[in-house]
Amino acid sequence: MHAKFTPEELSFQAEVREFMQAEFTPELAARIRHPDTLREATIEWQKKLDARGWAANGWPVEHGGCGWSATQRSIYSNEMALAGAPDVVPMGIKMVGPVLYTFGTEEQKARFLPPTKSSDIWWCQGYSEPGAGSDLAALQTRAVRDGNDYIINGTKIWTTYAQYADWMFCLVRTSTEDKPQAGISFLLIEMNSPGITVSPIISIDDEHHLNEVSFSDVRVPVANRIGEENEGWTYAKALLTYERTALSGVGYCKRTLQRIREFAAKEYCGDRRLIDDPDFQARLADVEMQVTSLEYLELRVLNDVDKGGAPGMESSLLKLMGSDCQQAVQTLFWNLASAYGGVLPGEDHKDISGHEFGDRARREYMFGRATTIYGGSNEVQRNIIAKFGLGL
C-alpha cells in the first residue's frame, strides 16, 4: 500500500470528481434530504451510479462489479463524500448482495442480483427483535414449515427504511432443539406479503428511519431460503462482517470535517475566527488524526480483500473505530453550533434563527448516539477482537 496516487489513480480521481459534479445536482440533493421524496430521489441517484457501472463496485466482476483496487474504491468513496453525495443504501448492495452471490443458488442469483444492483429492489434487514439485539442468537421470530412454505410469526425492530422496502432479508428460528445459533435460517421475504405490518419508530433526531415490523402467519416460499435450513447463523455472520466494514464512515467523517472547517472560518470567538483559536485547532487536529488512522485501517482491510481474503476480526476494528470517530466528529460539529445547536427548523426545514447548520448538527449528533449500538454494539466488537484477534 502506498500513500501517493499514481498518474492512473489521479486520472480516475478526476473522472469520479467530474461525474459527481455533473450528476449529483443541488436539486437532486435537496430531494434526497426531504422525507417526501427521499425514496424516489435515492433510487434515481443509485440508477445513475449503476448506469455508470459503479453502483456495485465491490462485487466480483462476473456479477457486475468494477474490479477496482482498494485505492480506487477509497478514492471513489472520498470523492462521493466530498461532493456531499450519499452512498448506495447498504442493505442491498453491500449486505445481502454478497450473501446472495456467495451462498445463493443460481436461480436466486439470477432473480435477485440484477434488480438489487439496479436498485429495482429496496432491501431492509430483519435481524434485531425486542429482547434480541446484541444477543442476536436469542431471536424468537418463528418459521414453521408447511409444505413448500414457511409460516412466519414474530416481530423485528429497529428496521431501517422498512417503510420503503420491497424485500427483507430476515433471520428466523426454525428449530429449538440445539444451541440457539444452530436453529436459525436466513429467508428473503417480500414486504407486501399478507400479514406484515410496518409501524414507524421516530428516533431522537425527529426523523423516521426506523420501524417495527410484525409478522402474523406470513407465508414465505421455501425457495426463498438462502442455504440450508438451521444454518442461517453462518450466513448472518458473513453478512455482518460486510455490514461492519461498510459502517466505518470514513467518507462521512471527512466530509463533515470539511464542513466544520468551512463554518469555523466564518464563526468568531471574541475578536478572532474560531478556526484560528488554539484550543479549537487542537480539538480539530485530534479528531482529524483519528479519522486518518481509520482511513488507513480501512485501506488495509480493502487490500486484504483484494488479495482474496474476507473481512473478519478487522471488520470489528473498523466498526469500533468508525463509530467512535463519527461520534467525535458529530460532537465537534454540535459544539461549533454552540447555543444554536438546539434550534428547531421551520416549515421549510431551515433554522428559524441562529446558524444555518445548527439544526443539522443537532440531528446528526443525536442520531449518531446509535452508531456504537447498531451493526453490533461496540461491547460485542471488543469481545470479538479479544477472542479472535488477541486469543483471550
Side-chain angles (χ1 to χ4, degrees):
M1 189 176 72
H2 52 82
K4 293 184 178 180
F5 293 150
T6 65
E8 293 77 14
E9 289 164 348
L10 289 171
S11 176
F12 175 72
Q13 182 184 47
E15 178 188 359
V16 175
R17 186 170 296 176
E18 180 181 349
F19 173 84
M20 295 296 168
Q21 291 172 348
E23 299 295 340
F24 190 68
T25 63
E27 182 271 338
L28 180 58
R31 288 168 53 216
I32 288 176
R33 286 194 297 267
H34 198 286
D36 293 342
T37 52
L38 184 150
R39 186 183 194 277
E40 173 192 348
T42 298
I43 292 174
E44 179 182 332
W45 170 238
Q46 293 183 173
K47 284 186 174 294
K48 287 176 179 282
L49 296 176
D50 185 52
R52 189 63 175 251
W54 292 350
N57 58 76
W59 287 13
V61 173
E62 61 268 27
H63 295 303
C66 297
W68 287 348
S69 67
T71 303
Q72 285 177 301
R73 285 154 67 188
S74 178
I75 289 171
Y76 173 79
S77 176
N78 286 335
E79 289 302 319
M80 178 176 282
L82 292 174
D87 200 353
V88 294
V89 178
M91 282 76 77
I93 288 175
K94 293 193 174 184
M95 292 164 65
V96 75
V99 172
L100 282 164
Y101 63 65
T102 303
F103 302 107
T105 64
E106 292 306 312
E107 291 78 9
Q108 289 168 340
K109 294 175 188 178
R111 180 182 180 187
F112 291 110
L113 285 178
T116 297
K117 186 174 75 71
S118 65
S119 297
D120 290 321
I121 293 179
W122 188 306
W123 291 90
C124 64
Q125 179 185 37
Y127 274 27
S128 294
E129 299 181 3
S134 294
D135 183 16
L136 189 57
L139 67 88
Q140 295 300 314
T141 295
R142 292 299 306 273
V144 178
R145 183 75 176 261
D146 181 34
N148 292 325
D149 292 337
Y150 288 106
I151 300 177
I152 314 298
N153 284 280
T155 302
K156 297 294 179 177
I157 202 166
W158 315 126
T159 312
T160 302
Y161 291 147
Q163 75 270 32
Y164 302 139
D166 305 299
W167 285 78
M168 171 189 283
F169 55 93
C170 187
L171 295 183
V172 296
R173 184 158 300 286
T174 44
S175 174
T176 58
E177 295 182 358
D178 206 337
K179 63 181 182 178
Q181 292 90 336
I184 294 172
S185 296
F186 193 111
L187 297 184
L188 309 180
I189 303 176
E190 198 163 10
M191 290 296 287
N192 63 3
S193 302
I196 294 180
T197 302
V198 178
S199 303
I201 298 173
I202 306 303
S203 51
I204 195 172
D205 61 346
D206 302 321
E207 302 280 358
H208 178 195
H209 313 276
L210 308 172
N211 301 271
E212 180 180 80
V213 182
S214 300
F215 302 89
S216 178
D217 293 333
V218 177
R219 285 189 170 269
V220 178
V222 173
N224 288 5
R225 186 188 69 220
I226 299 294
E228 298 298 321
E229 187 172 89
N230 299 327
E231 296 296 326
W233 189 252
T234 299
Y235 318 129
K237 288 193 298 183
L239 185 147
L240 284 170
T241 61
Y242 288 103
E243 177 186 8
R244 288 163 185 163
T245 302
L247 292 175
S248 63
V250 172
Y252 164 80
C253 289
K254 294 181 73 172
R255 168 61 177 166
T256 306
L257 285 172
Q258 180 189 58
R259 294 161 69 196
I260 288 172
R261 280 187 168 277
E262 292 170 356
F263 291 133
K266 303 174 184 177
E267 180 72 7
Y268 273 78
C269 180
D271 60 351
R272 62 185 171 192
R273 300 181 307 166
L274 188 58
I275 195 68
D276 298 322
D277 180 77
D279 290 338
F280 181 81
Q281 289 176 343
R283 293 181 60 198
L284 178 62
D286 182 66
V287 176
E288 287 179 328
M289 285 189 289
Q290 291 182 54
V291 173
T292 300
S293 297
L294 175 66
E295 182 178 16
Y296 274 83
L297 174 60
E298 183 178 64
L299 282 169
R300 285 172 52 195
V301 173
L302 291 174
N303 269 291
D304 288 342
V305 172
D306 284 348
K307 296 173 184 176
M313 181 272 295
E314 292 80 6
S315 69
S316 291
L317 279 171
L318 272 177
K319 199 276 174 178
L320 182 66
M321 290 181 60
S323 57
D324 287 343
C325 278
Q326 289 172 64
Q327 289 186 350
V329 168
Q330 289 157 353
T331 299
L332 187 61
F333 191 22
W334 199 13
N335 289 162
L336 177 62
S338 188
Y340 296 111
V343 169
L344 296 177
E347 292 182 0
D348 58 355
H349 294 275
K350 296 180 180 179
D351 290 350
I352 297 171
S353 61
H355 299 306
E356 60 180 289
F357 55 86
D359 183 63
R360 187 72 260 159
R362 175 185 68 90
R363 290 173 183 267
E364 291 186 19
Y365 175 87
M366 288 182 167
F367 189 75
R369 302 309 90 193
T371 59
T372 50
I373 301 173
Y374 60 63
S377 72
N378 281 15
E379 290 77 10
V380 170
Q381 305 317 309
R382 290 186 179 95
N383 285 340
I384 292 172
I385 294 166
K387 181 176 181 179
F388 296 102
L390 304 176
L392 300 178

